[in-house]
Amino acid sequence: MLILCIDTATSTESIALVRIHDGQKSNGGFSITTLVEKSSERGGIHGPYLLDDIHLILDESDLTLAELDGYCVGLGPGSFTGLRISLATLKGLSLATDKPLYGVRTTQALCRGVGGDAAVAVIDARRGEIYIEGGSLTEPICCHPSKIWSFLDPSFPWRLVGDGALKYRDELTENTNATVVEGADLHAPRAALLAPYIRPNEVPKLSVLEPIYVRKSDAEINYPDGFPDAVNRVPRSH
């Protein structure tokens, strides 16, 4: 299977063309060959670049959308806007080309980049919080950096990875056996590492494929009953 993978859960845009070797497993997921992979630091502003970068990576590979077998998107958790942009883009391409779209958690890809059972993905959730997954945590959760050891054993030599691990390095490693992994390239999500977790025979419906937000958005927190003036707005006539 030839899959176009995209992750924009963080400030980094990652796009990859990956071939999945059906029936071959490696480290708990399918064995893959990465044909092309590009990462760009976008400062969290992905909208103006994503479609152009998809065109570029296909053009450089001398491939077209028609030659792909499907798509895979990083579902986060991460930036609310970033997640929506990549998911909406690939949903549109999936509909237009009648090819399946798969979703995989960004935290899974981060852990795979490190390898081993000690890897813990730590993504900056802003508001002084982090998203974490790894070890005994098989689903991502959101917490304050000081609360991470309420969920994981601080005496275990965890290997922390992600922009949250870099941002809160001192707080996360103080009085613990945890360390932040070396290598700047490991801390940004790699779209290619989403592919091993695809389940080719389980194609999700586009209508139910949604980002993994873990917590409420700022709009939901600030306006739990909707925007205050929404009921007073007069519908526009056509």
Side-chain angles (χ1 to χ4, degrees):
M1 294 179 65
L2 183 60
I3 304 292
L4 175 67
C5 304
I6 297 178
D7 195 297
T8 55
T10 67
S11 62
T12 300
E13 170 200 276
S14 179
I15 304 179
L17 282 169
V18 173
R19 191 172 298 281
I20 298 177
H21 305 291
D22 294 351
Q24 299 181 28
K25 293 294 186 82
S26 174
N27 298 324
F30 282 107
S31 177
I32 66 168
T33 297
T34 302
L35 305 179
V36 187
E37 185 174 24
K38 293 183 179 295
S39 293
S40 304
E41 177 55 48
R42 297 300 189 196
I45 302 175
H46 299 289
Y49 310 102
L50 192 54
L51 284 172
D52 285 342
D53 290 341
I54 291 172
H55 175 79
L56 181 63
I57 199 170
L58 288 171
D59 190 52
E60 290 182 358
S61 305
D62 197 25
L63 291 169
T64 66
L65 289 174
E67 295 175 271
L68 300 178
D69 295 305
Y71 310 92
C72 182
V73 64
L75 296 178
S79 162
F80 282 58
T81 303
L83 292 173
R84 288 195 296 270
I85 286 172
S86 54
L87 184 57
T89 299
L90 287 184
K91 278 188 175 183
L93 292 178
S94 176
L95 281 169
T97 60
D98 195 27
K99 301 291 178 66
L101 171 60
Y102 305 93
V104 174
R105 296 193 300 277
T106 301
T107 39
Q108 289 179 280
L110 278 170
C111 286
R112 190 175 186 85
V114 175
D117 296 333
V120 175
V122 185
I123 294 176
D124 182 16
R126 302 182 184 180
R127 303 186 198 149
E129 294 179 320
I130 52 176
Y131 299 119
I132 59 172
E133 181 181 354
S136 59
L137 296 173
T138 57
E139 297 286 342
I141 64 170
C142 181
C143 68
H144 187 275
S146 64
K147 300 296 183 181
I148 186 175
W149 307 121
S150 300
F151 305 98
L152 298 170
D153 180 2
S155 67
F156 191 80
W158 302 109
R159 303 182 68 203
L160 311 180
V161 61
D163 58 0
L166 294 175
K167 183 175 181 178
Y168 296 105
R169 179 193 298 267
D170 293 340
E171 192 166 356
L172 293 172
T173 58
E174 185 177 9
N175 299 321
T176 75
N177 285 326
T179 58
V180 175
V181 300
E182 298 296 328
D185 57 327
L186 292 174
H187 293 283
R190 289 180 54 198
L193 297 182
L194 299 169
Y197 298 102
I198 288 176
R199 298 178 180 177
N201 297 324
E202 299 179 19
V203 181
K205 293 182 179 179
L206 294 183
S207 59
V208 299
L209 192 58
E210 295 291 341
I212 298 171
Y213 288 139
V214 181
R215 70 177 185 196
K216 292 182 177 181
S217 67
D218 288 338
E220 289 175 296
I221 292 173
N222 295 328
Y223 304 101
D225 299 318
F227 287 96
D229 64 340
V231 294
N232 298 321
R233 292 179 183 172
V234 178
R236 290 184 296 177
S237 59
H238 297 280

